[in-house]
Amino acid sequence: MTIASNHLASKEPSKFEQLKASSNYLREPLASELENDLPFFTEGAVQILKFHGSYQQDNRDNRLKGQAKDWGMMLRLRSPGGRVPAQLFLALDELANRFGNGSMRVTTRQAFQLHGIPKQDLRTVLATIVKNLGSTLAACGDINRNVMAPAAPYEGLGYPVARRLADDIADLLAPKAAAGAYLELWVDGEKRYKIRPSIACSKVRKRQQDANLSSGDPAEPLYGSTFMPRKFKVGVTVPGDNSIDLLTQDLGLVAFTDMAGKLRGCNVYVGGGMGRTHNKEETFARTADCLGYVKGSKILDLVQAVVALQRDNGDREQRRHGRMKYLIHDRGIDWFRQELDKYFPAGVSAALKEPKPVLEDYLGWHQQGDGRWFVGLPLLCGRLDGERKLGLRRLVERYQPEIRLTANQDLLLCNIGRNQRQEVAEELAAIGWADPSDTSLLARHAIACPALPTCGLAITESERVLPDVLARLEALLKAEAISTPILVRMTGCPNGCARPYMAELALVGSAVNQYQLWLGGNPGLTRLAEPILEKLPLDQLETTLLPLMRHWRDNGMKHSFGDYCNSLDPDLLRNLLHGQGAAA
């Protein structure tokens, strides 16, 4: 009996846990339903499909009473650190045109998504991705998701170490038996597409069979047949660079390097997470706690130990309570540290001092440090389509740059030679990026989730209305002579995919054209915002915020907007907003 099954033995496993256990390592009922002619999967297959990187969706704009839904699959990639080779980018571009809705979308976890893929074409699309240096394995589901790292291809300051560590962690936490199922389903079991970890990673991965770490299932030694209680997210960065929203991760690592550029060790953070549900107070956003410091030679062991701890102790009865943030909230960081000793005897020491975190975005032109350049292109909401997508394809075909995606939904073109820079700049100007470092006041760091029409959880709009919302807010700031930027994030539901609860100002969908208003995060992404209004109608946005903006301008412009809101008495803050008639 596995450790995971011991955990479940005391009580009847949930229906979802039983589904995973009986799936034959994520094969069924997905494999059977891929062979039928229906345009959709049943619920059981939909849940297993997530582990293969896909969600079943329908176009909600096309819903008509009495008619079948307009089904399509969203497909998300596994791209550690946001790295996308030119070959893969070009393949995705063509797949989006031939089988999807014509667009590619950069996610807030540094990966591309394709939307609108018919069920009957899913195998063709997925096989093409795998054969062009990509993968979607574990991009969704109760498993480690895409590992984040700073996208910038700098050759110094610890960035290469963070990128390599993200790659190793992604390989370390890849499933074993399920990886075989993945190849069977999508590329006829061709072993040449198997994930091949580095030598160092492979050595640590073998220790998943050790008694203190093993699930008890030799076929799937780290995860067991039921995998994780819920999704698990990892991010790696360097001191001072908070481009990946470190404190929102289940497991965050800040990598320190020595004078030779080699990994010294990492400060470790545990227990972050954004997801919550309206009117369910037992669900909440949470920032990660600092666990301490671990030497570089032990980091990979520490990572799989944390995963094993959550595997065995996370809540498998109530899915909304399954994330590691709830485990640490309920039992405390001291309990977590003591429990970790059972899985990681090397122990954790006191954390090293870090510089103040900054939300880096890398927009514009930068030297990589190896004689080459990269350019960061702003891509509001991460959506790439139309003429801009066509122009970028031509550029990638000609120059073959490596593409890297940021957690801010922007796109970097990397490894551009000195003799290519001017030509690339001219081609970028021709497709709308004359000065890639230039954005509007609020657009630079604003992000939104897709929401309608594709997301089944969306209560209201997000991505489609964000440009208009930003334009309205910018007009308000201009009218009040305010030139200080504000970090704005928007979601169509409370699930938090755009990490709204870290923003200075966030709109979280609560009803049709109505949003919760969250205020008080900070520009460095180290403090949670607070819910201030439960229902803000979007047509009352300006009249609601105007008194607060004026109060900030007249009393606290030396502070960021989020810091100022955080400094105000909550009753004063609400009174300022209610002064213009916003709904309570």
Side-chain angles (χ1 to χ4, degrees), residues 43-292:
E43 180 60 21
V46 165
Q47 298 303 330
I48 298 304
L49 180 65
K50 292 178 183 179
F51 290 83
H52 296 262
S54 182
Y55 281 78
Q56 179 167 277
Q57 302 176 332
D58 73 287
N59 189 326
R60 294 168 64 177
D61 286 348
N62 295 343
R63 285 184 182 177
L64 293 173
K65 189 174 182 179
Q67 294 191 17
K69 292 181 178 180
D70 181 9
W71 296 106
M73 307 299 149
M74 179 273 280
L75 196 58
R76 180 185 297 156
L77 271 71
R78 168 197 189 271
S79 302
R83 179 179 173 272
V84 180
Q87 176 184 336
L88 177 58
F89 176 87
L90 295 172
L92 292 171
D93 176 84
E94 183 176 352
L95 291 170
N97 293 339
R98 286 185 59 201
F99 301 104
N101 66 2
S103 74
M104 300 158 62
R105 191 176 194 276
V106 181
T107 75
T108 56
R109 288 199 71 78
Q110 300 181 269
F112 273 124
Q113 285 183 179
L114 304 181
H115 290 265
I117 301 166
K119 178 195 169 194
Q120 65 266 26
D121 295 320
L122 189 59
R123 183 171 274 145
T124 298
V125 173
L126 227 157
T128 304
I129 289 171
V130 172
K131 292 174 182 178
N132 283 277
L133 311 178
S135 176
T136 65
L137 176 61
C140 322
D142 296 349
I143 199 165
N144 177 58
R145 301 286 186 88
N146 194 46
V147 181
M148 299 175 71
Y154 294 130
E155 286 300 316
L157 303 175
Y159 283 87
V161 165
R163 295 195 295 269
R164 285 195 298 272
L165 190 51
D167 286 338
D168 278 345
I169 291 170
D171 292 346
L172 180 73
L173 302 184
K176 185 178 180 181
Y182 180 83
L183 296 180
E184 287 174 23
L185 286 177
W186 309 113
V187 289
D188 296 324
E190 292 188 48
K191 298 290 178 64
R192 58 180 165 151
Y193 300 118
K194 182 180 178 181
I195 293 172
R196 302 187 187 282
S198 67
I199 294 174
C201 179
S202 295
K203 288 180 179 178
V204 177
R205 191 174 162 99
K206 288 178 181 177
R207 291 200 277 274
Q208 293 173 4
Q209 300 280 5
D210 293 353
N212 63 327
L213 285 177
S214 175
S215 68
D217 182 345
E220 198 66 84
L222 182 61
Y223 291 116
S225 63
T226 53
F227 297 86
M228 299 293 281
R230 282 300 301 272
K231 64 184 115 176
F232 192 87
K233 298 180 177 181
V234 181
V236 186
T237 191
V238 299
D241 184 329
N242 200 17
S243 59
I244 64 162
D245 242 348
L246 183 82
L247 298 184
T248 66
Q249 315 286 337
D250 289 89
L251 174 60
L253 303 174
V254 179
F256 292 83
T257 53
D258 60 21
M259 296 297 290
K262 294 183 179 180
L263 178 65
R264 281 176 54 203
C266 295
N267 281 349
V268 180
Y269 294 81
V270 292
M274 294 286 96
R276 49 177 291 276
T277 303
H278 288 319
N279 303 316
K280 301 288 184 183
E281 296 303 316
E282 69 272 21
T283 68
F284 45 83
R286 187 182 192 277
T287 53
D289 293 326
C290 185
L291 185 69

Side-chain angles (χ1 to χ4, degrees), residues 293-324:
Y293 176 83
V294 173
K295 292 191 296 185
S297 60
K298 297 294 183 181
I299 282 296
L300 294 181
D301 285 293
L302 176 278
V303 169
Q304 61 187 17
V306 171
V307 170
L309 190 162
Q310 165 63 1
R311 174 199 68 203
D312 295 342
N313 293 279
D315 192 338
R316 292 179 182 266
E317 295 162 25
Q318 299 182 63
R319 283 188 61 76
R320 71 165 59 104
H321 192 249
R323 290 288 296 275
M324 197 168 76

Side-chain angles (χ1 to χ4, degrees), residues 9-57:
S10 59
K11 294 186 179 181
E12 183 69 18
S14 71
K15 183 178 179 181
F16 201 93
E17 292 296 310
Q18 292 180 58
L19 173 69
K20 290 186 287 184
S22 62
S23 70
N24 190 15
Y25 303 106
L26 309 180
R27 289 175 174 84
E28 293 293 349
L30 176 60
S32 296
E33 294 192 19
L34 278 168
E35 304 307 320
N36 68 38
D37 295 328
L38 294 174
F40 58 88
F41 294 101
T42 64
E43 180 60 21
V46 165
Q47 298 303 330
I48 298 304
L49 180 65
K50 292 178 183 179
F51 290 83
H52 296 262
S54 182
Y55 281 78
Q56 179 167 277
Q57 302 176 332

